Amino acid sequence: MNRLQLSNYYGLYLGIFFLGQFLVLPILTPFMIAFGASIKEIAIIMATMGLTVMLLELPTGGLADKIGRKKVFLFSLLLNILSLVILFIWPNFYCAVIAMFFWGAGIALCSGTITAWFVETFNKADGDISLQEGLARVGFRTNGLGAIGALLCAGFMYFGGVVNIDELTLYRFLLLGGLSCYVIVYILMLVWVTETRTFQRISLRSLVDLPQQIQAGAKAVRHPILWRLMLTALLTIPLASAIEKYWPVQFELLSGEDPVGWAYGLIYAATLFLGSIAARVTTLVCKGLDQQLGKVLFVGLIFQLSMATVLALSNNLFVFALFFICYDFSAELGASAKGQLQHQSTQDKVRSTVDSISSLNSRVGGLIGTLVCGFGAAYVGLTTTWLVCVLLASLAGVIYLSKVFNKRDEKLNISSRENA
């Protein structure tokens, strides 16, 4: 299988996973409200998931480098399936806490596993396309199928309401749909994914060796490209988190007395469809800038900051919704370029560990953005807080323009040299 075929198949299979995920994500909070959870209980449920991810992120990434990416990814799917089964059968507060623990563990296990397998397999496959283009093709399919899932979710809820089906019943059917997608992906990946490397068997020793593996990953992050990517994430992700978490607050304020609940599913779908297009646009920009990936990221950042500024200053509901969609599109620009920069600077033996460290770094940035926006909005207002986050994110532009990110003639990367 050549690089083009590998990217297309992987994007399709992973896209089915995203389809199932976005059948469930838009209704997760309303589902909890429907079975009687209070706002305080919902916060506890969601915090359980977030804390589980942060605690297990590094150990599970190191484990994938030790025992194999396929095993860990399949186990993550089983945990996701288990979480939806619990929510479907026992919709109550205590079971939701347990379900979100399994969901968070599944997210942590998934991080840095199957993508690491894809990158290593891609580097060994025949073909002329770059890793950036391969990742862009994957992003095109995953975002597209995720958008279809969000549209199906919105349509199912709308027509279910028209025929007067109980909301809790509708939510449980959507959980069943997401569950079915996860089962399909599990079967497909079990059959299709083949690992050529030899990994350790699951044993006590693989667990004992985890601290050393995590330490090796931490040393790998000292690479000139990797630590700069980590720093740019800490500068830019607080803005993304602040907007992602709090845009519904501003949306509701601008809507006044008008009911806008129907709009969220459509906005979700629109942002995912545009994210799919952004993956293709990134490839065109990379070719136009002669594969100077730092400059590609800089272009995406400028567009992102422009959209965020207009979004923050908008006082019209339609304009706000339009520029929020444009902002989400801009946030996806350069994602595949960033992926190539990260993976070309990482050795196979620590690839999952480094990916998990990067993911944890992003979650720390997201937590900073959530807290800054939450407290800042209370004192200086949401608009001012967003603009402060825009100024912070703009500092990343200096790093993106550095020479280390824009070497046109660097044909060989660490992973290909290692394989040679």
Side-chain angles (χ1 to χ4, degrees), residues 67-102:
I67 67 172
R69 286 67 187 267
K70 180 177 179 178
K71 298 188 193 89
V72 177
F73 178 71
L74 291 177
F75 187 58
S76 76
L77 285 174
L78 290 177
L79 290 174
N80 285 327
I81 291 169
L82 180 58
S83 68
L84 294 188
V85 168
I86 292 172
L87 287 174
F88 180 82
I89 299 176
W90 300 290
N92 60 67
F93 168 68
Y94 294 105
C95 289
V97 170
I98 296 171
M100 287 301 102
F101 170 78
F102 287 129

Short mmCIF file of all heavy atoms in Angstrom, two decimals, residues 67-102:
data_model
loop_
_atom_site.label_atom_id
_atom_site.label_comp_id
_atom_site.label_asym_id
_atom_site.label_seq_id
_atom_site.Cartn_x
_atom_site.Cartn_y
_atom_site.Cartn_z
N ILE A 67 4.64 -1.38 24.40
CA ILE A 67 3.92 -2.61 24.04
C ILE A 67 3.26 -2.56 22.68
O ILE A 67 2.69 -3.56 22.22
CB ILE A 67 2.86 -2.95 25.12
CG1 ILE A 67 1.74 -1.92 25.12
CG2 ILE A 67 3.50 -3.05 26.50
CD1 ILE A 67 0.57 -2.29 26.01
N GLY A 68 3.28 -1.40 22.01
CA GLY A 68 2.71 -1.31 20.67
C GLY A 68 1.52 -0.36 20.61
O GLY A 68 0.72 -0.29 21.53
N ARG A 69 1.42 0.34 19.49
CA ARG A 69 0.37 1.34 19.33
C ARG A 69 -0.99 0.72 19.07
O ARG A 69 -2.02 1.21 19.55
CB ARG A 69 0.74 2.27 18.16
CG ARG A 69 1.87 3.27 18.49
CD ARG A 69 3.20 2.55 18.72
NE ARG A 69 4.26 3.43 19.19
CZ ARG A 69 5.11 4.03 18.38
NH1 ARG A 69 5.05 3.84 17.09
NH2 ARG A 69 6.06 4.80 18.88
N LYS A 70 -1.01 -0.39 18.33
CA LYS A 70 -2.29 -1.03 18.00
C LYS A 70 -3.00 -1.52 19.25
O LYS A 70 -4.20 -1.30 19.42
CB LYS A 70 -2.05 -2.19 17.03
CG LYS A 70 -3.33 -2.92 16.63
CD LYS A 70 -3.03 -4.02 15.61
CE LYS A 70 -4.30 -4.76 15.24
NZ LYS A 70 -4.05 -5.82 14.21
N LYS A 71 -2.27 -2.21 20.13
CA LYS A 71 -2.88 -2.75 21.35
C LYS A 71 -3.50 -1.64 22.19
O LYS A 71 -4.64 -1.75 22.66
CB LYS A 71 -1.83 -3.49 22.20
CG LYS A 71 -1.18 -4.69 21.56
CD LYS A 71 -0.31 -5.40 22.61
CE LYS A 71 0.61 -6.42 21.96
NZ LYS A 71 1.89 -5.85 21.55
N VAL A 72 -2.75 -0.57 22.38
CA VAL A 72 -3.21 0.51 23.25
C VAL A 72 -4.41 1.23 22.61
O VAL A 72 -5.38 1.57 23.29
CB VAL A 72 -2.07 1.51 23.53
CG1 VAL A 72 -2.57 2.69 24.36
CG2 VAL A 72 -0.93 0.81 24.27
N PHE A 73 -4.36 1.44 21.29
CA PHE A 73 -5.48 2.10 20.62
C PHE A 73 -6.75 1.26 20.70
O PHE A 73 -7.84 1.79 20.97
CB PHE A 73 -5.13 2.38 19.16
CG PHE A 73 -6.26 3.02 18.40
CD1 PHE A 73 -6.63 4.34 18.65
CD2 PHE A 73 -6.95 2.32 17.43
CE1 PHE A 73 -7.68 4.93 17.96
CE2 PHE A 73 -8.00 2.90 16.73
CZ PHE A 73 -8.35 4.22 16.99
N LEU A 74 -6.64 -0.03 20.46
CA LEU A 74 -7.83 -0.90 20.54
C LEU A 74 -8.41 -0.91 21.95
O LEU A 74 -9.63 -0.93 22.13
CB LEU A 74 -7.47 -2.32 20.09
CG LEU A 74 -7.14 -2.50 18.59
CD1 LEU A 74 -6.74 -3.94 18.31
CD2 LEU A 74 -8.33 -2.10 17.72
N PHE A 75 -7.53 -0.89 22.95
CA PHE A 75 -8.02 -0.86 24.33
C PHE A 75 -8.73 0.47 24.60
O PHE A 75 -9.73 0.51 25.33
CB PHE A 75 -6.86 -1.06 25.30
CG PHE A 75 -7.30 -1.21 26.73
CD1 PHE A 75 -8.17 -2.22 27.11
CD2 PHE A 75 -6.85 -0.33 27.70
CE1 PHE A 75 -8.59 -2.35 28.43
CE2 PHE A 75 -7.26 -0.45 29.02
CZ PHE A 75 -8.13 -1.47 29.39
N SER A 76 -8.23 1.56 24.01
CA SER A 76 -8.89 2.87 24.19
C SER A 76 -10.30 2.84 23.59
O SER A 76 -11.23 3.41 24.16
CB SER A 76 -8.07 3.98 23.54
OG SER A 76 -8.19 3.99 22.13
N LEU A 77 -10.45 2.16 22.46
CA LEU A 77 -11.78 2.03 21.86
C LEU A 77 -12.72 1.23 22.76
O LEU A 77 -13.91 1.57 22.89
CB LEU A 77 -11.68 1.34 20.49
CG LEU A 77 -11.14 2.19 19.33
CD1 LEU A 77 -10.97 1.33 18.09
CD2 LEU A 77 -12.07 3.36 19.04
N LEU A 78 -12.20 0.19 23.38
CA LEU A 78 -13.03 -0.60 24.30
C LEU A 78 -13.51 0.25 25.47
O LEU A 78 -14.66 0.13 25.92
CB LEU A 78 -12.24 -1.81 24.81
CG LEU A 78 -11.95 -2.92 23.80
CD1 LEU A 78 -11.09 -4.01 24.43
CD2 LEU A 78 -13.26 -3.52 23.28
N LEU A 79 -12.64 1.13 25.97
CA LEU A 79 -13.03 2.01 27.07
C LEU A 79 -14.09 3.02 26.62
O LEU A 79 -15.04 3.32 27.36
CB LEU A 79 -11.81 2.75 27.62
CG LEU A 79 -10.80 1.89 28.40
CD1 LEU A 79 -9.58 2.71 28.75
CD2 LEU A 79 -11.44 1.32 29.66
N ASN A 80 -13.95 3.54 25.39
CA ASN A 80 -14.97 4.44 24.86
C ASN A 80 -16.31 3.73 24.70
O ASN A 80 -17.37 4.29 25.02
CB ASN A 80 -14.52 5.00 23.50
CG ASN A 80 -13.45 6.05 23.61
OD1 ASN A 80 -13.41 6.80 24.58
ND2 ASN A 80 -12.55 6.12 22.65
N ILE A 81 -16.26 2.51 24.21
CA ILE A 81 -17.49 1.71 24.06
C ILE A 81 -18.13 1.48 25.43
O ILE A 81 -19.35 1.64 25.59
CB ILE A 81 -17.17 0.38 23.36
CG1 ILE A 81 -16.80 0.62 21.90
CG2 ILE A 81 -18.34 -0.60 23.46
CD1 ILE A 81 -16.21 -0.59 21.19
N LEU A 82 -17.30 1.12 26.41
CA LEU A 82 -17.81 0.86 27.76
C LEU A 82 -18.48 2.11 28.35
O LEU A 82 -19.52 2.02 29.00
CB LEU A 82 -16.67 0.39 28.66
CG LEU A 82 -17.02 0.07 30.11
CD1 LEU A 82 -18.08 -1.02 30.19
CD2 LEU A 82 -15.77 -0.34 30.88
N SER A 83 -17.88 3.28 28.12
CA SER A 83 -18.45 4.51 28.67
C SER A 83 -19.84 4.78 28.09
O SER A 83 -20.76 5.17 28.83
CB SER A 83 -17.52 5.69 28.38
OG SER A 83 -17.47 5.98 27.00
N LEU A 84 -20.02 4.56 26.79
CA LEU A 84 -21.33 4.79 26.17
C LEU A 84 -22.35 3.73 26.60
O LEU A 84 -23.54 4.04 26.74
CB LEU A 84 -21.20 4.82 24.65
CG LEU A 84 -20.40 5.99 24.06
CD1 LEU A 84 -20.51 6.00 22.54
CD2 LEU A 84 -20.86 7.32 24.62
N VAL A 85 -21.89 2.50 26.80
CA VAL A 85 -22.78 1.45 27.29
C VAL A 85 -23.33 1.83 28.67
O VAL A 85 -24.54 1.69 28.94
CB VAL A 85 -22.05 0.09 27.35
CG1 VAL A 85 -22.87 -0.94 28.14
CG2 VAL A 85 -21.79 -0.43 25.94
N ILE A 86 -22.46 2.32 29.54
CA ILE A 86 -22.88 2.72 30.89
C ILE A 86 -23.90 3.85 30.82
O ILE A 86 -24.94 3.83 31.50
CB ILE A 86 -21.66 3.12 31.74
CG1 ILE A 86 -20.78 1.90 32.02
CG2 ILE A 86 -22.10 3.77 33.06
CD1 ILE A 86 -19.46 2.23 32.67
N LEU A 87 -23.62 4.88 30.00
CA LEU A 87 -24.55 6.00 29.87
C LEU A 87 -25.88 5.56 29.28
O LEU A 87 -26.94 6.06 29.66
CB LEU A 87 -23.93 7.09 28.99
CG LEU A 87 -22.80 7.92 29.60
CD1 LEU A 87 -22.21 8.86 28.55
CD2 LEU A 87 -23.29 8.73 30.80
N PHE A 88 -25.83 4.63 28.34
CA PHE A 88 -27.06 4.15 27.69
C PHE A 88 -27.94 3.35 28.66
O PHE A 88 -29.16 3.54 28.70
CB PHE A 88 -26.69 3.27 26.48
CG PHE A 88 -27.88 2.73 25.75
CD1 PHE A 88 -28.55 3.51 24.81
CD2 PHE A 88 -28.35 1.44 25.98
CE1 PHE A 88 -29.66 3.02 24.13
CE2 PHE A 88 -29.44 0.94 25.31
CZ PHE A 88 -30.10 1.73 24.38
N ILE A 89 -27.33 2.47 29.46
CA ILE A 89 -28.11 1.59 30.33
C ILE A 89 -28.48 2.26 31.65
O ILE A 89 -29.60 2.11 32.15
CB ILE A 89 -27.33 0.28 30.59
CG1 ILE A 89 -27.07 -0.46 29.27
CG2 ILE A 89 -28.11 -0.63 31.55
CD1 ILE A 89 -26.22 -1.71 29.43
N TRP A 90 -27.52 3.01 32.22
CA TRP A 90 -27.75 3.61 33.54
C TRP A 90 -27.56 5.12 33.50
O TRP A 90 -26.52 5.64 33.97
CB TRP A 90 -26.81 3.00 34.58
CG TRP A 90 -26.95 1.51 34.73
CD1 TRP A 90 -28.00 0.85 35.30
CD2 TRP A 90 -26.00 0.52 34.33
NE1 TRP A 90 -27.77 -0.51 35.27
CE2 TRP A 90 -26.55 -0.74 34.69
CE3 TRP A 90 -24.76 0.55 33.71
CZ2 TRP A 90 -25.90 -1.93 34.43
CZ3 TRP A 90 -24.09 -0.63 33.45
CH2 TRP A 90 -24.67 -1.86 33.80
N PRO A 91 -28.50 5.87 32.98
CA PRO A 91 -28.35 7.33 32.91
C PRO A 91 -28.64 8.01 34.25
O PRO A 91 -29.76 8.42 34.53
CB PRO A 91 -29.38 7.73 31.84
CG PRO A 91 -30.43 6.68 31.91
CD PRO A 91 -29.74 5.41 32.31
N ASN A 92 -27.61 8.10 35.09
CA ASN A 92 -27.73 8.81 36.36
C ASN A 92 -26.38 9.41 36.72
O ASN A 92 -25.37 9.11 36.07
CB ASN A 92 -28.25 7.90 37.47
CG ASN A 92 -27.34 6.71 37.73
OD1 ASN A 92 -26.20 6.86 38.19
ND2 ASN A 92 -27.81 5.51 37.41
N PHE A 93 -26.34 10.23 37.75
CA PHE A 93 -25.13 10.98 38.09
C PHE A 93 -23.94 10.07 38.39
O PHE A 93 -22.86 10.26 37.83
CB PHE A 93 -25.42 11.89 39.30
CG PHE A 93 -24.18 12.47 39.90
CD1 PHE A 93 -23.41 13.41 39.22
CD2 PHE A 93 -23.75 12.08 41.17
CE1 PHE A 93 -22.26 13.94 39.78
CE2 PHE A 93 -22.60 12.61 41.74
CZ PHE A 93 -21.86 13.55 41.04
N TYR A 94 -24.12 9.09 39.26
CA TYR A 94 -22.98 8.26 39.69
C TYR A 94 -22.43 7.43 38.53
O TYR A 94 -21.21 7.31 38.37
CB TYR A 94 -23.41 7.36 40.85
CG TYR A 94 -23.75 8.13 42.09
CD1 TYR A 94 -25.08 8.31 42.49
CD2 TYR A 94 -22.75 8.73 42.86
CE1 TYR A 94 -25.40 9.05 43.62
CE2 TYR A 94 -23.06 9.47 43.99
CZ TYR A 94 -24.39 9.62 44.36
OH TYR A 94 -24.69 10.36 45.47
N CYS A 95 -23.31 6.89 37.71
CA CYS A 95 -22.85 6.11 36.56
C CYS A 95 -22.21 7.02 35.51
O CYS A 95 -21.28 6.60 34.80
CB CYS A 95 -24.02 5.33 35.95
SG CYS A 95 -24.56 3.96 36.99
N ALA A 96 -22.69 8.27 35.41
CA ALA A 96 -22.08 9.22 34.48
C ALA A 96 -20.65 9.54 34.89
O ALA A 96 -19.77 9.68 34.04
CB ALA A 96 -22.91 10.48 34.39
N VAL A 97 -20.40 9.65 36.19
CA VAL A 97 -19.04 9.89 36.68
C VAL A 97 -18.13 8.72 36.28
O VAL A 97 -17.01 8.91 35.79
CB VAL A 97 -19.03 10.07 38.22
CG1 VAL A 97 -17.59 10.07 38.75
CG2 VAL A 97 -19.72 11.37 38.60
N ILE A 98 -18.62 7.49 36.47
CA ILE A 98 -17.85 6.29 36.09
C ILE A 98 -17.62 6.28 34.58
O ILE A 98 -16.52 6.00 34.10
CB ILE A 98 -18.58 5.02 36.55
CG1 ILE A 98 -18.68 4.98 38.08
CG2 ILE A 98 -17.87 3.78 36.03
CD1 ILE A 98 -19.57 3.88 38.62
N ALA A 99 -18.68 6.59 33.82
CA ALA A 99 -18.57 6.59 32.36
C ALA A 99 -17.55 7.61 31.88
O ALA A 99 -16.74 7.33 30.98
CB ALA A 99 -19.94 6.89 31.74
N MET A 100 -17.53 8.81 32.49
CA MET A 100 -16.58 9.83 32.08
C MET A 100 -15.15 9.49 32.50
O MET A 100 -14.18 9.92 31.85
CB MET A 100 -16.98 11.19 32.64
CG MET A 100 -18.19 11.81 31.97
SD MET A 100 -18.00 12.07 30.18
CE MET A 100 -18.95 10.69 29.54
N PHE A 101 -15.01 8.70 33.56
CA PHE A 101 -13.67 8.21 33.92
C PHE A 101 -13.15 7.30 32.80
O PHE A 101 -12.00 7.43 32.35
CB PHE A 101 -13.71 7.45 35.24
CG PHE A 101 -12.43 6.71 35.55
CD1 PHE A 101 -11.32 7.39 36.03
CD2 PHE A 101 -12.33 5.35 35.31
CE1 PHE A 101 -10.13 6.71 36.30
CE2 PHE A 101 -11.15 4.67 35.57
CZ PHE A 101 -10.06 5.35 36.06
N PHE A 102 -14.01 6.38 32.33
CA PHE A 102 -13.61 5.49 31.24
C PHE A 102 -13.39 6.26 29.94
O PHE A 102 -12.46 5.96 29.18
CB PHE A 102 -14.66 4.40 31.04
CG PHE A 102 -14.68 3.35 32.11
CD1 PHE A 102 -15.86 2.99 32.75
CD2 PHE A 102 -13.51 2.72 32.49
CE1 PHE A 102 -15.88 2.03 33.74
CE2 PHE A 102 -13.51 1.75 33.49
CZ PHE A 102 -14.70 1.41 34.11
#
